[in-house]
Every structure is written in C-alpha cells, then in structure tokens.
C-alpha cells in the first residue's frame, strides 16, 4: 500500500495570501502546502481522503487519472471544495465514484453541493455513489474503521486502515475521545493534525499532538494540516526521530 500526501496545509494553504513571514517566503519546497488530502493506492485501486480546494492542482501534479473511492472527513471548505473537479475522472472512466462519509457530513454536502443531487438531466455534473458510513467496512481488500474525533463542536471522521500493517489518518480535531483513543493503539503509522505551536479552539497544536502521540505510541508519526507557523526544517529539528512533519508529495510504502 502506498500513501501520497497530496496536501499538508491548513485551510488557507501555505504560503498564505499576502503573508511575508519566513515560512511563506521560504524557498524550501516542503514549506509549500496545499490543502490537506492524501491518496491511497492499494491492490491497484486509488482512494482519496477529502477532495480539497486544491484537488485539481494535486491531481495534475501527480498525474492522477483514476479514483475508485473518496472518503470525506467532514464538510469544511478546505476538505470538500474540490469535489466538482472529479468530473474529468467521471468523463474519462465513464463511471460514478463511490463516496464515503458520515450521515452528518452527507447532510452538509447536500447543502453545499445541492446542484449535484438535484435532478436536472444535465450530464456534466459530478457522478458519485453515496455511501453512508455506519461502522467498519471492507474495501478493496482492506478493513476500514471509521472513528470519531471532535473539531470544536463538529464530529469529524478519522480512519484506521488494517491490512498487514495498521495506520490511521486523524485530522481536523482538537479532542480525541477516549473511545477513539482506545481504537488507535498499536499503529505502525499515525498521520495526525498539528496546526501550529499556539493553542487553537478547533485543532491540535503541537503540544497537544505530542501528548496524544506519547499516549498512543505509534511506531511512526507524520504531522499534517500545518499552518505557516511551522518551517519544515526547524520543526523537523525539534521533533524526536519517530515523529516528522509530512510535506506535499511525500510518499510512504506501508
Ligand atoms: Zn481543515
Ligand atoms: Zn506566513
Ligand atoms: Zn475543518
């Protein structure tokens, strides 16, 4: 299984429009972060977690021309606003794409993208097969366990994947409930939200992220959904060897 980081940035991306801070003017490519999303390749199938605002650019950059499933963590703009850009993949394959989200997230998607679901007879709309996540499921030969984390007051879906190895994608949260923590044990890899150094009302800051890592003890951890507070090389130097900031384009075989 291969994981590719399509984007590792917070909602405004890095660099941020109009900002001249050290990170935003950095020439290190790893300081350029599109909106958070990953691509999973498994058994010849391609799954994206979230269709970020930058999905078009991310797909073009990678040469991605096929998507077999989409998982949506929650319906915030930075995670779903690329949904319309799946259309070229529909055109190319002639197929609708299975899309997995919680009931709450589907309600929000129906509001934000009402035109997709309204019967219009127009052929050029994004074609999705909606799947409501209700519990663990099997997909393309892997077991997927959806888990709930808290993002301010909004429940967000995190995902644990089990094949021969176990790993999880946990973003956009400031609290991981005890029940979810219990299901995040014994991970080979944890990919987790870490927004910035200072506290934030709806995201984990570095200190809180490190506390959860200490508790969960995954073999390896990659940080994502990062703001311009973090310069890649400075942050890397502040972290122990088994924890590192992810960056756009990073690929992990697991
Ligand atoms: Zn976000
Ligand atoms: Zn900046
Ligand atoms: Zn969010």
């Amino acid at each position: 299984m291969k994981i590719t980081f399509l984007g590792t940035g917070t909602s405004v991306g890095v660099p941020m429009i109009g900002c001249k801070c050290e990170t935003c003017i950095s020439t290190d490519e790893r300081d350029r972060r599109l909106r958070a999303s990953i691509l999973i390749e498994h058994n010849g199938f391609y799954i994206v977690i979230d269709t970020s605002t930058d999905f078009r650019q991310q797909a073009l950059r990678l040469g991605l021309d096929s998507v077999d499933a989409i998982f949506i963590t929650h319906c915030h703009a930075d995670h779903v606003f690329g949904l319309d850009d799946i259309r070229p993949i529909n055109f190319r394959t002639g197929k609708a794409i299975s899309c997995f989200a919680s009931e709450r997230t589907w309600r929000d998607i129906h509001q934000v993208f009402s035109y997709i679901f309204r019967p219009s007879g127009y052929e050029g709309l994004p074609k999705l097969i909606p799947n409501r996540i209700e519990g663990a499921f099997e997909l393309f030969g892997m077991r997927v366990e959806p888990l709930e984390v808290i993002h301010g007051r909004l429940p967000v879906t995190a995902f644990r994947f089990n094949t021969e190895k176990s790993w999880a994608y946990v973003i956009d949260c400031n609290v991981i409930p005890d029940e979810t923590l219990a299901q995040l044990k014994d991970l080979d890899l944890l990919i987790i939200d870490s927004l910035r150094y200072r506290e934030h009302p709806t995201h984990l800051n570095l200190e809180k992220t490190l506390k959860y890592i200490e508790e969960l003890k995954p073999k390896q951890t990659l940080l994502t959904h990062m703001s311009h507070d973090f310069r890649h090389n400075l942050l890397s130097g502040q972290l122990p060897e088994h924890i590192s900031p992810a960056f756009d384009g990073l690929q992990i075989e697991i």
Side-chain angles (χ1 to χ4, degrees), residues 74 76 78-79 151 172 203:
H74 65 305
H76 277 172
D78 51 326
H79 299 264
H151 184 29
D172 285 59
H203 285 276

Side-chain angles (χ1 to χ4, degrees), residues 147 159-161 166-170 184 187 189-192:
L147 305 169
F159 295 96
R160 179 181 176 132
F161 298 89
S166 292
W167 63 281
Y169 188 70
V170 179
L184 288 172
L187 292 172
L189 171 67
L190 172 64
I191 301 167
I192 188 167

Side-chain angles (χ1 to χ4, degrees), residues 8-14 23 33 36 78-79 151 170-174 192-210 223-231 235:
T8 57
T10 188
S11 58
V12 294
V14 181
T23 310
R33 304 179 184 122
D78 51 326
H79 299 264
H151 184 29
V170 179
I171 54 159
D172 285 59
C173 62
N174 57 314
I192 188 167
D193 189 4
S194 196
L195 184 76
R196 64 185 192 188
Y197 293 105
R198 286 169 297 129
E199 284 209 28
H200 188 277
T202 64
H203 285 276
L204 295 173
N205 64 333
L206 184 61
E207 194 188 330
K208 284 189 188 161
T209 306
L210 292 176
L223 310 181
T224 190
H225 211 291
M226 295 171 286
S227 80
H228 61 166
D229 261 28
F230 293 145
R231 290 267 309 273
L235 179 60

Side-chain angles (χ1 to χ4, degrees), residues 106-248:
W106 274 120
R107 269 208 310 273
D108 295 343
I109 292 173
H110 273 265
Q111 278 199 323
V112 174
F113 290 98
S114 57
Y115 68 93
I116 295 182
F117 304 97
R118 211 181 293 136
S120 68
Y122 177 55
E123 274 301 302
L125 295 173
K127 287 190 176 52
L128 300 171
I129 303 165
N131 289 274
R132 186 169 3 119
I133 290 173
E134 281 169 313
F137 58 97
E138 298 279 333
L139 187 72
F140 309 142
M142 61 185 179
R143 185 172 171 79
V144 184
E145 290 176 17
L147 305 169
E148 192 172 279
V149 293
I150 306 300
H151 184 29
R153 279 182 306 189
L154 181 73
V156 166
T157 309
F159 295 96
R160 179 181 176 132
F161 298 89
N162 301 307
T163 48
E164 54 282 18
K165 297 273 179 86
S166 292
W167 63 281
Y169 188 70
V170 179
I171 54 159
D172 285 59
C173 62
N174 57 314
V175 173
I176 305 178
D178 288 344
E179 197 187 320
T180 297
L181 282 173
Q183 292 169 284
L184 288 172
K185 296 280 161 79
D186 303 318
L187 292 172
D188 295 287
L189 171 67
L190 172 64
I191 301 167
I192 188 167
D193 189 4
S194 196
L195 184 76
R196 64 185 192 188
Y197 293 105
R198 286 169 297 129
E199 284 209 28
H200 188 277
T202 64
H203 285 276
L204 295 173
N205 64 333
L206 184 61
E207 194 188 330
K208 284 189 188 161
T209 306
L210 292 176
K211 269 194 192 144
Y212 280 131
I213 295 168
E214 178 60 35
E215 186 176 343
L216 295 171
K217 298 187 174 31
K219 288 200 181 92
Q220 191 194 353
T221 301
L222 289 164
L223 310 181
T224 190
H225 211 291
M226 295 171 286
S227 80
H228 61 166
D229 261 28
F230 293 145
R231 290 267 309 273
H232 184 92
N233 65 341
L234 292 182
L235 179 60
S236 297
Q238 293 162 347
L239 295 169
E241 212 178 316
H242 61 288
I243 306 172
S244 35
F247 53 89
D248 290 23

Side-chain angles (χ1 to χ4, degrees), residues 17-84:
I17 292 173
C19 186
K20 299 283 184 284
C21 77
E22 288 295 311
T23 310
C24 288
I25 63 165
S26 163
T27 53
D28 185 338
E29 276 299 310
R30 296 168 303 177
D31 286 327
R32 303 184 77 81
R33 304 179 184 122
L34 297 178
R35 266 55 74 88
S37 172
I38 57 169
L39 173 73
I40 302 162
E41 290 178 58
H42 184 61
N43 289 343
F45 295 100
Y46 293 87
I47 302 163
V48 285
I49 303 192
D50 292 328
T51 49
S52 92
T53 320
D54 298 312
F55 177 73
R56 176 178 174 275
Q57 203 180 331
Q58 290 163 336
L60 289 172
R61 190 159 71 172
L62 198 68
L64 182 67
D65 59 6
S66 169
V67 173
D68 299 288
I70 298 165
F71 293 177
I72 304 285
T73 57
H74 65 305
C75 187
H76 277 172
D78 51 326
H79 299 264
V80 297
F81 271 19
L83 193 57
D84 197 80

